[in-house]
Amino acid sequence: MYIIMDEKQSNFTKQQKVKKYNEKLISADSTHDINKLFEKYFVISNAEKDSESYTLPKSEFMFKEPPWSLDSLQKLKNDLNQVKSCLNDFNLDEWHKHTNQMNKAGSVKYIVKKYINPELLTQAWLKFYEIASKFPLVPLNEICHENLPITAGSFRSVHLCEAPGAFVAALNHWLATNTHNVKWDWLANSLNPYWEENPYECMIADDRFIKHTLQHWCFGEDNTGDIMKLNNLDDLVKRVSSFDADKRLLLVTADGSIDCTNVPEEQESILAQLHLCETVACMHILQKNGNFLLKLFTLFEHQSVCLMYLLSCAFHEVTVIKPATSKGGNSETYVFCRKFRGKDYMAAHLDILRQHYGKAPPENAMFSQKDIPQSFVQRIEECSVFFKNHQCHIIEDNIKTYHAKNYNILFNVKQLVAMQYIRNCKLDGPLNDSSSIVGCKKIKKVPPSWHTYKKLHVESYNERCQRHNLEESLLLLWKQIEWISFPTNLRSYTWRLRILPESVEIQTGKSFTKVRSSRFSDVQCLNVLNTLDTIIVRETGTTICFPSANLTREQQEDPNQEILNFQFVPVFDNHKTIIEICDRFKKLRTGQALTLVGYSLLTQLNVGLLYLLGNCFDKVVVTICDNEGYHIRLETYQPNEKVSNILHEILAISNSEQNKHKAVWSIIPGILLEECDEFPTIMELNHLMIKKYLEHVMKKCKGQDKIIIFT
């Protein structure tokens, strides 16, 4: 028997399950004070309640004093680092597994997914929703008209460092649940997951949400998405200024971070310039009385103290928050800044801040120590003590329980925390599909792990600090990709490539010479490739080209084919590739073949060009070669005027962009390439090529005649 329920019935059933689940847990006996997890926040300033208001010094006094430090804050930093240093001998992967089990909020995501099932549910989604439910993050008093219920009004939000889009999805869910008919539009910025020199360790490459909402994403003037570049900030300001005036920009979020795994004790200093750029960007675009949410970490250094003072002067209220769904053992916090005083109020100071915008941190402190009131410094000290004590307590407790690993006693606590989260956030049931931005079905088509970068730590922090010799380094890399294999009985593939949209979509951006991310490779494999190149240069002072492409005389003298030789590594040059393809294309005669040797399929441009050329040939044969990875042979050329015109257009744009230090990096939309039948095989060919390259390096470094295979 099958029971068919409509959408309303289904949602009602889930709401009933949530209610029963809550009732069941409420009856559980627990001595833990769950509420404390949801009360970790500290008010730094509140102009409406504080007896002392803070004012900015004159702009001409900014960045004049050398860096300074406060002994009280440095002592707190040292105390925290001393506790953190106790973790240096732990295997990082094992430690993460342990802390995940010890995390009292560890079941929240599972329970929310089970009963609410929101689109793009991540830890960031949970943190944003928790903050928005407890604090007036969304300024409804500014959005909606006075004396009316929350049914009318409109606004816009901008989300910096936003990939994969969880804050946007969470805000959409919150608005749909807590308001009625509020008109909202959004714009997001992040490192561009399609610009192939953005490294995995610095960005979120998960594009399951992004590729369906590209019109809402601003990757800047150079298309890298790097918000720490002034030209990209100006491009963002230009994009925001084109908004309709009826929708005020009343919320900006900034969730940026940088991997500090190898220097955890200096996390705050490493991130200081990013946080400054995010704040300055916000002040360029946020409208008066709008709100700002900024991810920060510790507040021990002068950069953070000055930034917090800047925020306390620019906003009416500043509060530091540690969501319950943020792991207690890390230093992550969120600074909620309410009611911006306005760009006009900050105009003179923004002019000075623009001069220090970018990746290079200022040589001097933003403010002189004497320009920051002692009462404010005291609040920063109290705030730092508050969060440092919480963090140390969690770390020390995790260390004590590491070997015992008795997680069963936490099961009931985790369930209670999850129930409290759902109750605090008023999550009664899932959204209707019509209220979603993309929808769960589309997002779930691609697993989140497809382009997820996970740094593999098979060693402790202290072991990672020890330098390996060349042979040890190569062996470690081999262990990560020894799983790659090809069917021994399958030595060639025949494709008929016919993807040719009505008009190509030529994407340009900052030129690059190194592929650090790719839509056509497993993350781990590409990480091996980039690590290998770094090791080679470090240990030998040179590069090793691959393949050698020593074609036989018979191949070279074949009048029925043209041959193009490329290098799979180490340097990529999109402009040179376009020139060579176009030049050889002009020489082709009807019926000839074109053979590509060492032609990388890691980049969108190269794959797109191959598909474009495929429209001029009867078929494409990819042959596996023991020493060179593979050859690509395009057989039986037939002139195609449309393809010829497109190549001419690509070359013209490439020539123009090169003068601006830019390059063409895509000609066919990536979503079309990823949906083509050949996509899985292209992935496998790239993995094979990377493995062959590693074998080639082993051979060269060993000085032996045959390739060495470690088993």
Side-chain angles (χ1 to χ4, degrees):
M1 179 178 179
Y2 294 88
I3 299 175
I4 300 175
M5 294 187 298
D6 63 23
E7 191 173 38
K8 290 183 179 179
Q9 287 177 316
S10 177
N11 289 347
F12 177 77
T13 301
K14 286 195 174 185
Q15 290 172 12
Q16 291 296 101
K17 287 182 178 179
V18 172
K19 185 178 180 181
K20 288 181 179 179
Y21 174 76
N22 288 348
E23 291 172 351
K24 179 181 177 182
L25 288 178
I26 289 172
S27 63
D29 180 28
S30 176
T31 58
H32 294 83
D33 187 0
I34 303 301
N35 287 329
K36 286 185 178 179
L37 280 175
F38 296 91
E39 298 295 330
K40 289 188 288 186
Y41 65 91
F42 192 97
V43 178
I44 296 291
S45 62
N46 188 333
E48 297 171 0
K49 295 181 179 180
D50 292 346
S51 57
E52 180 180 5
S53 61
Y54 302 118
T55 56
L56 287 167
K58 291 183 178 180
S59 58
E60 56 264 33
F61 296 147
M62 296 174 68
F63 299 104
K64 298 298 183 182
E65 183 175 313
W68 44 267
S69 63
L70 297 170
D71 291 341
S72 57
L73 294 178
Q74 289 302 304
K75 183 181 184 306
L76 290 174
K77 176 184 177 181
N78 292 335
D79 291 346
L80 177 59
N81 284 338
Q82 187 174 356
V83 174
K84 285 183 176 180
S85 68
C86 298
L87 308 177
N88 289 349
D89 289 318
F90 286 90
N91 174 285
L92 198 55
D93 285 337
E94 292 180 3
W95 177 255
H96 282 164
K97 290 176 183 177
H98 172 64
T99 56
N100 285 338
Q101 292 287 347
M102 292 295 296
N103 181 14
K104 293 177 181 177
S107 294
V108 173
K109 185 177 178 182
Y110 169 78
I111 297 300
V112 171
K113 180 177 178 62
K114 182 176 180 180
Y115 292 106
I116 311 301
N117 193 30
E119 64 178 334
L120 202 64
L121 177 63
T122 67
Q123 212 63 34
W125 192 103
L126 296 172
K127 290 181 288 189
F128 180 93
Y129 209 94
E130 181 182 343
I131 294 171
S133 298
K134 186 174 181 64
F135 297 89
L137 181 60
V138 180
L140 292 176
N141 58 322
E142 290 290 324
I143 296 167
C144 303
H145 300 294
E146 294 182 5
N147 303 321
L148 287 177
I150 305 174
T151 57
S154 60
F155 81 109
R156 293 181 188 266
S157 60
V158 169
H159 306 269
L160 307 176
C161 304
E162 171 59 12
F167 275 18
V168 171
L171 176 55
N172 176 68
H173 195 113
W174 190 91
L175 290 170
T177 303
N178 293 274
T179 66
H180 302 285
N181 300 324
V182 168
K183 297 177 182 178
W184 164 65
D185 200 0
W186 59 276
L187 183 69
N189 150 272
S190 217
L191 287 176
N192 191 343
Y194 306 114
W195 188 68
E196 288 145 337
E197 199 172 38
N198 277 331
Y200 285 117
E201 61 267 30
C202 295
M203 70 166 177
I204 304 295
D206 179 359
D207 72 334
R208 293 171 299 150
F209 181 83
I210 295 172
K211 66 183 177 183
H212 297 292
T213 57
L214 271 173
Q215 71 275 17
H216 288 277
W217 292 81
C218 178
F219 295 123
E221 187 269 341
D222 64 5
N223 236 334
T224 65
D226 189 350
I227 195 60
M228 297 181 72
K229 294 181 179 179
L230 190 59
N231 59 332
N232 289 340
L233 167 62
D234 290 337
D235 188 72
L236 176 66
V237 173
K238 183 179 178 181
R239 180 86 175 264
V240 168
S241 65
S242 67
F243 286 172
D244 294 334
D246 63 329
K247 290 185 180 179
R248 298 168 63 201
L249 203 171
L250 292 172
L251 176 62
V252 174
T253 67
D255 197 32
S257 188
I258 297 172
D259 183 10
C260 301
T261 306
N262 292 327
V263 278
E265 70 280 2
E266 294 302 329
Q267 182 182 44
E268 181 181 335
S269 297
I270 292 170
L271 288 163
Q273 189 63 11
L274 170 61
H275 295 151
L276 176 62
C277 290
E278 289 173 319
T279 300
V280 175
C282 166
M283 292 179 178
H284 271 76
I285 58 178
L286 186 63
Q287 292 183 259
K288 188 174 181 179
N289 291 330
N291 294 342
F292 179 40
L293 185 68
L294 170 69
K295 177 156 74 177
L296 275 185
F297 293 85
T298 49
L299 303 175
F300 301 139
E301 309 294 351
H302 71 87
Q303 297 99 322
S304 299
V305 177
C306 289
L307 182 65
M308 292 297 289
Y309 189 66
L310 176 70
L311 291 170
S312 295
C313 294
F315 290 82
H316 283 79
E317 184 178 348
V318 175
T319 303
V320 183
I321 306 163
K322 177 74 170 178
T325 44
S326 173
K327 287 185 71 173
N330 64 36
S331 300
E332 176 188 73
T333 60
Y334 286 87
V335 182
F336 169 46
C337 307
R338 191 175 70 87
K339 293 185 67 175
F340 183 44
R341 296 182 185 275
K343 189 175 178 181
D344 292 342
Y345 179 84
M346 297 297 300
H349 296 84
L350 283 178
D351 288 342
I352 301 299
L353 289 167
R354 283 180 61 88
Q355 298 174 19
H356 298 276
Y357 195 94
K359 292 183 180 296
E363 293 182 2
N364 292 329
M366 186 191 307
F367 300 124
S368 169
Q369 189 174 348
K370 62 180 175 58
D371 286 332
I372 301 178
Q374 185 58 37
S375 60
F376 180 83
V377 173
Q378 184 176 346
R379 294 297 290 169
I380 294 294
E381 290 175 353
E382 293 170 356
C383 178
S384 296
V385 169
F386 177 78
F387 288 108
K388 172 254 179 188
N389 287 344
H390 276 293
Q391 186 176 358
C392 288
H393 172 75
I394 295 295
I395 295 174
E396 289 166 347
D397 188 50
N398 286 338
I399 291 173
K400 290 176 184 177
T401 58
Y402 179 76
H403 294 291
K405 291 184 171 59
N406 184 6
Y407 306 126
N408 291 331
I409 60 174
L410 283 174
F411 177 80
N412 197 47
V413 173
K414 288 184 176 183
Q415 305 303 298
L416 285 168
V417 171
M419 178 270 293
Q420 182 77 352
Y421 179 93
I422 288 177
R423 189 165 58 238
N424 288 353
C425 296
K426 300 177 182 178
L427 287 167
D428 295 328
L431 289 185
N432 296 325
D433 288 343
S434 60
S435 299
S436 299
I437 298 174
V438 173
C440 292
K441 290 182 180 179
K442 284 186 179 180
I443 291 175
K444 289 177 180 177
K445 280 186 177 180
V446 179
S449 59
W450 190 257
H451 291 294
T452 301
Y453 172 80
K454 291 184 178 179
K455 187 173 275 189
L456 297 177
H457 295 296
V458 295
E459 307 156 303
S460 68
Y461 172 79
N462 285 337
E463 288 170 332
R464 293 198 310 277
C465 292
Q466 298 173 6
R467 183 161 171 176
H468 298 287
N469 61 36
L470 179 57
E471 185 174 352
E472 289 173 335
S473 298
L474 295 180
L475 278 169
L476 286 172
L477 291 180
W478 181 261
K479 290 178 181 178
Q480 295 184 42
I481 60 170
E482 60 183 344
W483 54 270
I484 296 173
S485 63
F486 252 64
T488 55
N489 61 336
L490 192 59
R491 303 293 294 177
S492 67
Y493 296 85
T494 300
W495 298 336
R496 284 175 172 79
L497 309 180
R498 293 291 183 268
I499 290 184
L500 189 58
E502 288 299 318
S503 61
V504 293
E505 297 181 14
I506 300 175
Q507 295 285 327
T508 66
K510 183 183 176 184
S511 59
F512 62 88
T513 58
K514 188 75 175 173
V515 175
R516 301 189 184 279
S517 58
S518 171
R519 314 310 297 177
F520 308 99
S521 171
D522 176 85
V523 174
Q524 184 176 330
C525 286
L526 194 64
N527 188 47
V528 166
L529 174 63
N530 287 317
T531 304
L532 177 59
D533 286 342
T534 301
I535 290 172
I536 292 170
V537 173
R538 185 188 72 198
E539 297 294 336
T540 68
T542 185
T543 59
I544 297 178
C545 294
F546 178 76
S548 57
N550 293 323
L551 300 175
T552 65
R553 182 170 297 180
E554 180 181 345
Q555 287 176 307
Q556 293 172 334
E557 294 178 355
D558 183 354
N560 293 319
Q561 76 167 339
E562 290 283 341
I563 298 173
L564 261 177
N565 292 318
F566 296 90
Q567 291 295 325
F568 184 73
V569 288
V571 177
F572 282 79
D573 187 336
N574 283 1
H575 183 63
K576 183 180 178 182
T577 298
I578 292 170
I579 290 176
E580 292 185 354
I581 291 286
C582 291
D583 181 65
R584 197 58 56 95
F585 185 82
K586 292 177 184 177
K587 297 177 181 178
L588 286 171
R589 299 189 303 273
T590 301
Q592 272 193 314
L594 174 62
T595 298
L596 308 177
V597 180
Y599 187 76
S600 171
L601 296 174
L602 286 172
T603 66
Q604 296 169 87
L605 174 69
N606 281 20
V607 175
L609 284 171
L610 183 61
Y611 273 91
L612 187 61
L613 292 174
N615 286 270
C616 301
F617 293 85
D618 179 53
K619 60 183 177 180
V620 177
V621 180
V622 183
T623 304
I624 307 301
C625 306
D626 290 333
N627 296 327
E628 294 168 352
Y630 58 79
H631 289 174
I632 301 174
R633 180 180 169 88
L634 298 94
E635 296 187 353
T636 318
Y637 171 69
Q638 295 292 333
N640 184 314
E641 185 177 358
K642 184 175 183 179
V643 171
S644 180
N645 290 338
I646 292 173
L647 283 173
H648 181 75
E649 180 185 1
I650 293 169
L651 180 60
I653 293 176
S654 184
N655 284 327
S656 174
E657 292 297 295
Q658 190 188 34
N659 297 329
K660 296 180 279 188
H661 304 290
K662 293 183 179 180
V664 173
W665 51 265
S666 174
I667 60 174
I668 296 177
I671 193 168
L672 291 179
L673 297 176
E674 291 184 27
E675 291 177 352
C676 69
D677 293 338
E678 296 78 19
F679 178 75
T681 307
I682 290 173
M683 294 270 291
E684 291 175 353
L685 288 169
N686 281 326
H687 299 163
L688 173 71
M689 203 70 161
I690 292 170
K691 189 172 184 179
K692 291 290 185 184
Y693 175 46
L694 178 54
E695 292 176 354
H696 180 71
V697 170
M698 289 174 171
K699 169 188 171 182
K700 288 287 186 182
C701 294
K702 283 287 187 178
Q704 298 186 14
D705 294 332
K706 62 180 181 180
I707 296 174
I708 299 169
I709 304 294
F710 293 93
T711 58

